């Protein structure tokens, strides 16, 4: 029996091109169709000129809540489709169910009388707690449980914590960490920096690292005139300010769409050729720069291609949905293991000093 040889810092251009072509073609097509749907049947109580103004929010709300439901299923052992042997069919059913639940969840924000001001506080919290428990947290709180129990406990915990936060003075967990957790997770830089730690300490440490990175990013954005710390944000608790114009928000959305998608599909090449932590840091900087270049290009297309900046926002954000689901449900970019230079076993840094 021959031992499986695992490539060190492999370049796999054909797989990368295929993966990114599929992901971003799906992103463009689904966003185009979703914009038609939410204009014809808005999620919020919009009509007339207000519909034109707010339809981007319906698009983003629906796609983000659909992705959240899909991710909750994935981290819960693919419940309720965990008994299906056909991974492709399971993936299709997961996406269909997630979009249905995403629409119901989005409508519920208005059915319950909460309104548009609650959209991002809710979304910011549910994503933060899913990341804390299941991504940076590696499911530590439900480890060893059967998929139905994992799903139930995670859902109840996240719903309770989200209710508590959104109904308090804290109001929300700012979502500005999201592209950075994608960069850190996809590059495995966060795992490297917290190697040897056990859960939940590792999750707390990774969240702490992200907090420092976000504060640095907001400070730099302020120096560049893209962020204004004097402006009121969401709620009175956080005194971070907010973006000074649409360019920063579009960059944030694009960064969410490309960070996980680019690094996973590229198998982190060529950064895998550089030992950690520098290879991971360069991979993250690559995502920041690539997202900004795409943002500049998309802003230039407002008018010739996009009706307005709001429409550009919907296209800028849709990639996050498919970059996660095509990888996690269908194996795009995750089907063949590889090693960073200096790494001993794929997927972990715990055995490296």
């Amino acid at each position: 029996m021959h031992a499986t040889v695992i490539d060190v810092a492999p370049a796999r251009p054909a797989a990368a091109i295929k993966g990114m072509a599929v992901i971003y073609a799906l992103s463009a097509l689904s966003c185009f169709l979703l914009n038609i749907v939410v204009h014809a049947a808005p999620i919020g109580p919009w009509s007339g000129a207000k519909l034109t103004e707010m339809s981007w929010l319906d698009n983003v709300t629906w796609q983000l809540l659909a992705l959240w439901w899909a991710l909750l299923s994935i981290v819960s052992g693919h419940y309720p489709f965990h008994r299906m042997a056909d991974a492709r069919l399971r993936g299709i059913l997961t996406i269909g169910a997630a979009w249905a639940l995403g629409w119901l969840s989005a409508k519920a924000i208005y059915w319950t009388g909460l309104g548009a001001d609650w959209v991002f506080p809710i979304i910011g919290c549910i994503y933060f707690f899913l990341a804390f428990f299941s991504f940076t947290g590696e499911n530590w709180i439900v480890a060893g449980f059967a998929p139905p129990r994992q799903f139930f406990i995670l859902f109840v915990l996240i719903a309770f914590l989200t209710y508590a936060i959104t109904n308090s003075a804290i109001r929300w967990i700012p979502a500005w960490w999201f592209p950075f957790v994608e960069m850190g997770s996809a590059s495995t830089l966060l795992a490297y920096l917290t190697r040897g730690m056990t859960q939940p300490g590792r999750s707390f440490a990774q969240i702490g690292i992200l907090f420092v990175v976000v504060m640095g990013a907001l400070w730099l954005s302020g120096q560049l005139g893209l962020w204004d710390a004097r402006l009121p944000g969401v709620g009175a608790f956080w005194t971070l300010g907010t973006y000074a114009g649409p360019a920063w928000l579009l960059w944030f959305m694009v960064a969410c769409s490309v960070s996980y998608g680019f690094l996973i599909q590229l198998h982190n090449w060529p950064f895998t050729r550089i030992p950690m932590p520098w290879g991971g840091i360069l991979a993250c900087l690559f995502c920041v720069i690539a997202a900004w270049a795409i943002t500049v290009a998309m802003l230039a297309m407002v008018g010739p291609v996009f009706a307005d900046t709001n429409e550009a926002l919907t296209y800028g954000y849709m990639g996050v949905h498919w970059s996660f689901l095509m990888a996690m449900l269908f194996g795009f970019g995750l089907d063949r293991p590889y090693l960073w230079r200096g790494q001993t076993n794929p997927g972990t840094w715990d055995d490296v000093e």
Side-chain angles (χ1 to χ4, degrees):
M1 181 179 293
H2 298 286
T4 301
V5 177
I6 299 176
D7 296 331
V8 178
R12 297 168 178 169
I17 292 170
K18 175 186 174 183
M20 286 193 281
V22 170
I23 287 168
Y24 295 110
L26 279 172
S27 300
L29 177 61
S30 60
C31 191
F32 174 77
L33 294 174
L34 193 59
N35 279 332
I36 293 175
V37 171
V38 297
H39 271 87
I43 291 173
W46 327 122
S47 61
K50 195 67 174 176
L51 173 59
T52 302
E53 177 188 347
M54 299 299 290
S55 62
W56 76 274
L57 181 64
D58 285 354
N59 178 309
V60 168
T61 305
W62 190 356
Q63 61 169 282
L64 287 177
L65 288 173
L67 176 60
W68 186 86
W69 282 108
L71 292 176
L72 180 62
S73 171
I74 290 166
V75 301
S76 302
H78 296 282
Y79 178 81
F81 308 111
H82 56 295
R83 300 187 188 279
M84 298 188 66
D86 188 331
R88 182 174 297 179
L89 179 59
R90 181 179 65 207
I92 293 171
L93 290 175
T94 299
I95 291 172
W99 277 94
L101 288 170
W103 183 85
L104 288 170
S105 303
K107 289 294 287 187
I109 294 174
Y110 300 96
W111 286 335
T112 55
L114 295 178
D117 289 343
W118 285 78
V119 169
F120 287 118
I122 290 171
I123 290 174
C125 286
I126 63 175
Y127 269 94
F128 174 81
F129 289 118
L130 186 63
F132 176 75
F133 288 124
S134 298
F135 287 91
T136 64
E138 302 171 305
N139 263 14
W140 63 272
I141 205 164
V142 292
F145 292 174
R149 287 194 67 203
Q150 289 184 332
F151 187 96
F152 173 75
I153 291 171
L154 286 171
F155 175 78
V156 169
L157 271 175
I158 293 170
F160 162 68
L161 291 169
T162 297
Y163 179 86
I165 293 293
T166 55
N167 285 275
S168 72
I170 298 174
R171 192 74 172 105
W172 78 321
I173 307 296
W176 314 131
W177 55 272
F178 196 69
F180 300 106
V181 76
E182 290 186 46
M183 298 173 200
S185 297
S187 67
T188 71
L189 178 61
L190 284 172
Y192 175 82
L193 293 175
T194 56
R195 64 195 183 281
M197 296 185 69
T198 57
Q199 295 291 0
R202 172 179 281 183
S203 188
F204 277 107
Q206 292 188 11
I207 294 298
I209 292 168
L210 292 171
F211 176 80
V212 173
V213 171
V214 168
M215 295 305 293
L218 295 185
W219 175 84
L220 179 60
S221 298
Q223 299 305 302
L224 297 173
L226 302 171
W227 187 270
D228 191 341
R230 299 167 297 179
L231 295 176
V234 177
F237 180 83
W238 301 97
T239 56
L240 301 175
T242 191
Y243 43 87
W248 196 96
L249 182 60
L250 182 57
W251 173 86
F252 167 79
M253 294 183 172
V254 171
C256 289
S257 290
V258 305
S259 296
Y260 191 84
F262 280 18
L263 294 183
I264 292 298
Q265 298 311 313
L266 289 168
H267 303 93
N268 278 294
W269 189 89
F271 310 106
T272 46
R273 299 176 62 86
I274 305 167
M276 282 288 193
W278 302 113
I281 291 171
L282 287 174
C284 295
L285 290 174
F286 161 75
C287 292
V288 171
I289 295 169
W292 184 248
I294 294 170
T295 298
V296 171
M298 292 185 71
L299 288 172
M301 289 190 287
V302 173
V305 176
F306 305 119
D308 52 29
T309 306
N310 287 341
E311 185 181 15
L313 293 176
T314 65
Y315 282 90
Y317 224 171
M318 185 63 83
V320 66
H321 186 95
W322 296 107
S323 63
F324 273 96
L325 297 190
M326 294 308 294
M328 294 182 173
L329 291 175
F330 302 103
F332 279 62
L334 298 175
D335 54 333
R336 287 183 291 167
Y338 62 91
L339 294 168
W340 282 72
R341 196 170 299 280
Q343 190 176 24
T344 305
N345 292 297
T348 181
W349 290 98
D350 288 341
D351 52 1
V352 174
E353 289 293 331

